[in-house]
Amino acid sequence: ALVSDGAELSRAGFDERVHRLARELIARGVGPESVVAVALPRSVELVVALHAVVCAGAAYLPVETDQPVERVAFVLEDAGPALLLCRDEDTADLPAEPAVPRIVLDDPATATRLAARDPGPVSDADRRAPLRGGHPAYVLYTSGSTGRPKGVVVSHGAIVNRLAWMQGAYGLGPDDRVLLKTPVSFDVSVWELFWPFAAGAGLVAAAPGGHRDPAYLAGLMKDTGVTVCHFVPSMLRLFVEEPRAALCTSLRRVFASGEALGAETARRLRDLLPRTALANLYGPTEAAVDVTAFEVGDEEFTGAGVPIGRPVWNTGVYVLDGRLAPVPAGVEGELYLSGVQLARGYVNRPGLSAERFAADPFGAPGARMYRTGDVVRWDAEGRLVFVGRSDFQVKVRGMRIELG
């Protein structure tokens, strides 16, 4: 089920470790509406920890210790996690304040407690309270490089819809292996982490920092038989220039998102790996990873950029002018999103939540829509085409940056 650093962990062994840690979290008071911070490098331990938090009914909060300590301290203070999961060697990189209770996973005392926990499946009878679709599944902090980071709270129901759509559209099977290479502070990692386990496929975890090295990634995919992976378009451009990439013949599908995908990059991937399908996805963190998709190669298109396509299941998209009126095909407008994948809002930011998640004038009473800040247009085939931003945000390797 899980390959990391040359070692394999079976699905049964993985599930047992997840259930034991989930029960330890529950015993420490964690449950629905709780947040658990996770400060671990990409590894078996990280994948187990994130699944265990969700299994316990809580929301996970990724903490990357290579970030400035002031940012980490702010995130921990703002999100208020009940616990923090880490390794002993990472504790020196974590801020002393706020003083979040820690479970040090490689502490012998922790190992003893976990070994004594029941490895069987966890149900609502075991959790602190029944788990419902509206409860948060994860909290990710976005932007804020020149200001205050925003914590986006995404529910179980929202991400389950996203994963169900992905399985319905692109169907993983037991012979598939998905590559986990996206840092867990980016929302693409959510489907990398959870889709293969939900579908009974395998997961191959890249080494920490490996996502920056096209030669390493090409070798890893070739050696482990990866069949599905994701690239930010700027990294995809580097990957297709890597000589070893042509050896990744097991790769049957690539997903691109996080930046505008150029038609030339898509063509170069097709020429390099003609049997590898490419899908261009679009979506903000505030709407459970992706809300539109376009299958490159299935339809003709013109222009330098690949369309971002049509909406996924149970998701609405509106292209509106400044008066919130729909614009006709070919006319640029701002993209608004609706449907089950919208985030609950921002942590401790009720004003900003109300501003960005406004009442949906086209939906049922109480429905919301999210203002993306992205400028798009409909083309003649009913597909969305990305144009740019309506504000001062730019994206660098998929990360939203607010220019000062």
Side-chain angles (χ1 to χ4, degrees):
L2 177 57
V3 178
S4 178
D5 196 24
E8 291 198 25
L9 180 63
S10 70
R11 179 59 187 264
F14 174 79
D15 287 345
E16 289 180 0
R17 289 183 61 174
V18 168
H19 297 153
R20 285 192 166 103
L21 181 53
R23 291 181 190 280
E24 177 68 15
L25 296 175
I26 292 168
R28 298 285 292 269
V30 165
E33 298 296 333
S34 299
V35 174
V36 176
V38 180
L40 295 167
R42 190 161 46 237
S43 58
V44 169
E45 290 73 22
L46 172 68
V47 181
V48 168
L50 297 179
H51 278 256
V53 172
V54 173
C55 182
Y60 70 83
L61 169 70
V63 173
E64 295 193 283
T65 55
D66 59 353
Q67 294 284 319
V69 67
E70 297 81 8
R71 178 185 170 93
V72 175
F74 171 82
V75 167
L76 293 175
E77 183 69 39
D78 193 51
L83 291 171
L84 186 150
L85 307 182
C86 63
R87 303 177 305 175
D88 182 63
E89 64 188 271
D90 299 320
T91 56
D93 297 322
L94 294 167
E97 297 292 337
V100 181
R102 297 175 183 178
I103 296 180
V104 180
L105 294 175
D106 54 357
D107 186 317
T110 302
T112 299
R113 289 198 308 273
L114 292 178
R117 296 291 179 193
D118 181 357
V122 175
S123 70
D124 276 347
D126 304 300
R127 298 186 181 101
R128 311 290 294 188
L131 178 60
R132 298 292 180 258
H135 288 136
Y138 59 88
V139 180
L140 297 182
Y141 276 75
T142 69
S143 193
S145 294
T146 60
R148 180 181 172 187
K150 305 186 293 291
V152 181
V153 183
V154 177
S155 71
H156 283 265
I159 191 60
V160 165
N161 184 82
R162 168 62 180 72
L163 295 175
W165 163 78
M166 201 170 197
Q167 180 63 10
Y170 303 109
L172 287 181
D175 294 330
D176 279 305
R177 283 189 163 185
V178 175
L179 179 63
L180 170 63
K181 71 174 185 62
T182 304
V184 291
S185 57
F186 292 86
D187 63 353
V188 167
S189 66
V190 180
W191 69 253
E192 291 178 347
L193 282 158
F194 292 95
W195 183 29
F197 289 97
L203 181 68
V204 176
H211 58 283
R212 305 185 186 97
D213 185 346
Y216 163 78
L217 292 174
L220 178 65
M221 287 193 280
K222 174 184 177 295
D223 293 344
T224 59
V226 165
T227 61
V228 176
C229 75
H230 171 274
F231 281 104
V232 173
S234 55
M235 193 63 185
L236 181 58
R237 287 197 297 273
L238 297 177
F239 176 75
V240 297
E241 294 171 358
E242 164 56 42
R244 298 186 69 186
L247 302 177
C248 298
T249 53
S250 63
L251 194 60
R252 69 174 184 85
R253 176 165 292 282
V254 169
F255 294 98
S257 68
E259 299 166 351
L261 174 62
E264 176 61 18
T265 301
R267 183 194 63 77
R268 292 189 66 183
L269 177 66
R270 183 177 65 248
D271 291 346
L272 182 72
L273 296 168
R275 296 184 179 180
T276 302
L278 174 63
N280 189 31
L281 309 181
Y282 162 87
T285 303
E286 289 87 346
V289 193
D290 299 301
V291 289
T292 69
F294 179 77
E295 186 69 16
V296 182
D298 279 5
E299 303 176 50
E300 295 294 324
F301 64 93
T302 59
V306 177
I308 58 175
R310 302 178 178 89
V312 307
W313 295 352
N314 303 309
T315 297
V317 295
Y318 311 128
V319 183
L320 308 178
D321 63 18
R323 297 173 296 176
L324 299 184
V327 300
V331 176
E332 296 177 5
E334 187 168 355
L335 180 60
Y336 289 75
L337 309 174
S338 65
V340 301
Q341 287 190 197
L342 295 192
R344 296 200 337 179
Y346 299 110
V347 176
N348 298 325
R349 305 285 290 273
L352 183 62
S353 296
E355 175 188 338
R356 305 298 297 198
F357 296 89
D360 180 359
F362 311 103
R368 300 178 303 151
M369 65 179 185
Y370 171 69
R371 179 183 181 185
T372 67
D374 288 328
V375 177
V376 299
R377 59 178 171 81
W378 293 107
D379 69 9
E381 306 300 325
R383 306 169 302 199
L384 287 173
V385 176
F386 179 81
V387 176
R389 289 289 299 177
S390 65
D391 56 20
F392 296 105
Q393 280 192 356
V394 297
K395 280 200 171 185
V396 178
R397 293 195 176 180
M399 184 177 190
R400 285 188 274 175
I401 304 293
E402 291 177 356
L403 300 178

